[in-house]
Amino acid sequence: MTDLYVDTPEALERLCDQLRDSDWLALDTEFLREKSYYPRLCLLQVANEDLVACVDPLALTDLTPLLNILYDPAVTKVLHAAHQDLEIFYAMTGRVPAPVFDTQMAATVLGGGDQVGYGALVKAELDVDLPKTLARTDWCQRPLEPEQLQYAADDVRYLRDVYQCQLAQLQAQGREQWLVEDLTALSEAKRYANPPETAWLRIKGAGRLRGVQLAVLQALAGWRETEAQRSDRPRRWVLRDEVLLDIAKQMPDNRARLERIRGLEERVARRHGDALLSLVAESRQLPRTKWPELVEGPRIAPDQDEVVDAMMSVLRACCREHDVSPAAVAGRRDLERLLAGEDAPVLHGWRKAVAGDALLALLHGHLTLRVTEGRLRLKEMN
């Protein structure tokens, strides 16, 4: 089998003719985003049963023929750790390809561990060792060397074989339906949108602010998100998180106080100082009813810690029975939410099948814990 390097419209058309009747396609991307807000697609790798191809988007001005195939709902797109790759397609078109099969998700429900890497999965399933020497290569540089193309092609060459192995295992274990909900969610566009009005929720440390400070942070973070999108620059290049937090906390009301904020670069103060001060002033004038609030997790009583401990025991026992990682199913905070009567991921999809139903049975008094021969056993109550 000869790997294809596709860098002309004619070659792209020939490739699409060979891909068009495929039931599934293995797919991967190489991209850079260290110096931009949006990921820059540098290479797109695709494979079916008969071919492996590296498509060069830097040499092609129009990928529409290939995108039409990738967005065909009759074709399953097979990826590993799909989120970042799908984010690229969302940035390109505003839509996400579907349906998707994520081999990392499949590995989790098949007992391969939580968030297993591609190389480790290929080794486990196919006993093939993949090189790691080009993991940090600059994919924007041209021409690409033969070893770079080989490295990129391998990302889909073995992915298709892993996919076939996993399908057989899922069927043998009766777990074909376990992934349906999670895989469907991967193609929801809202997962990849970054609306400026909710940007403040993604800033680590926001929980240290209170009241009107959160209103200031919301305005500043929304402004930064819009500016980063407009200029296609990383958020941190516009204004770093810690500076945003300090401005929101101190709420400066003049240029001198703003410029005393630690870490605020002179060029940023000079260029955006008036806008930042205006956002602070406008936010401080908002009525209390307009202040945003951070939704805190459930608060459980001290004497309920033992209940959560029992729930953790049930979780571990269920995961051991199904040979999956407990961390992939639920964390302690998830169980606290469940105890408080709130929704949690463990009540949905394959996680519910593994442990969610058993946890609900425990909370409703229909399940008890017993120790038999030194091992914890779960017993349903009549």
Side-chain angles (χ1 to χ4, degrees), residues 303-318 332 335 339 358-359 362-363 367-370 376-378:
D303 60 356
Q304 289 182 304
D305 280 337
E306 294 89 343
V307 180
V308 181
D309 290 339
M311 295 171 71
M312 288 295 297
S313 296
V314 170
L315 172 66
R316 286 191 289 267
C318 290
R332 192 174 182 90
L335 301 187
L339 178 58
L359 289 166
L362 177 73
L363 294 178
L367 187 74
T368 185
L369 307 181
R370 292 187 178 183
L376 183 69
R377 308 292 182 186
L378 308 182

Side-chain angles (χ1 to χ4, degrees), residues 164-374:
Q164 296 298 331
C165 290
Q166 289 184 331
L167 284 182
Q169 293 174 57
L170 288 168
Q171 183 175 10
Q173 297 181 28
R175 300 182 181 185
E176 303 104 308
Q177 298 302 310
W178 279 24
L179 286 169
V180 170
E181 188 171 335
D182 283 2
L183 292 176
T184 300
L186 271 177
S187 295
E188 294 176 355
K190 64 182 180 181
R191 293 172 64 103
Y192 308 93
N194 292 309
E197 58 270 20
T198 62
W200 69 283
L201 293 168
R202 299 186 290 273
I203 297 179
K204 187 177 180 179
R208 298 195 298 268
L209 304 182
R210 293 291 182 270
V212 71
Q213 293 175 334
L214 287 175
V216 176
L217 180 65
Q218 183 182 45
L220 293 172
W223 169 84
R224 183 184 69 169
E225 196 75 17
T226 300
E227 181 66 19
Q229 292 173 351
R230 182 194 65 77
S231 61
D232 192 21
R233 293 187 298 157
R235 298 179 185 92
R236 67 184 184 280
W237 286 17
V238 178
L239 206 60
R240 297 199 307 274
D241 281 3
E242 57 268 27
V243 177
L244 274 184
L245 289 166
D246 282 344
I247 295 175
K249 184 177 181 180
Q250 298 180 33
M251 295 186 292
D253 56 4
N254 58 56
R255 177 72 71 138
R257 290 179 177 172
L258 175 67
E259 292 176 351
R260 285 199 292 269
I261 297 291
R262 183 176 179 178
L264 179 64
E265 298 179 27
E266 182 179 346
R267 64 173 181 82
V268 176
R270 183 173 59 253
R271 183 175 182 182
H272 299 299
D274 290 342
L276 296 173
L277 288 171
S278 177
L279 289 167
V280 171
E282 291 172 5
S283 300
R284 295 182 69 172
Q285 296 301 314
L286 289 174
R288 287 178 176 269
T289 54
K290 297 291 186 180
W291 294 354
E293 293 183 2
L294 280 173
V295 179
E296 297 184 3
R299 294 181 180 273
I300 63 172
D303 60 356
Q304 289 182 304
D305 280 337
E306 294 89 343
V307 180
V308 181
D309 290 339
M311 295 171 71
M312 288 295 297
S313 296
V314 170
L315 172 66
R316 286 191 289 267
C318 290
C319 290
R320 183 174 62 250
E321 178 184 349
H322 290 90
D323 191 27
V324 298
S325 166
V329 178
R332 192 174 182 90
R333 294 293 290 174
D334 295 318
L335 301 187
E336 290 176 357
R337 292 208 300 269
L338 193 59
L339 178 58
E342 298 181 6
D343 193 18
V346 73
L347 295 182
H348 299 276
W350 67 274
R351 294 173 179 85
K352 186 173 187 290
V354 170
D357 290 332
L359 289 166
L360 289 175
L362 177 73
L363 294 178
H364 295 154
H366 303 315
L367 187 74
T368 185
L369 307 181
R370 292 187 178 183
V371 176
T372 304
E373 297 178 350

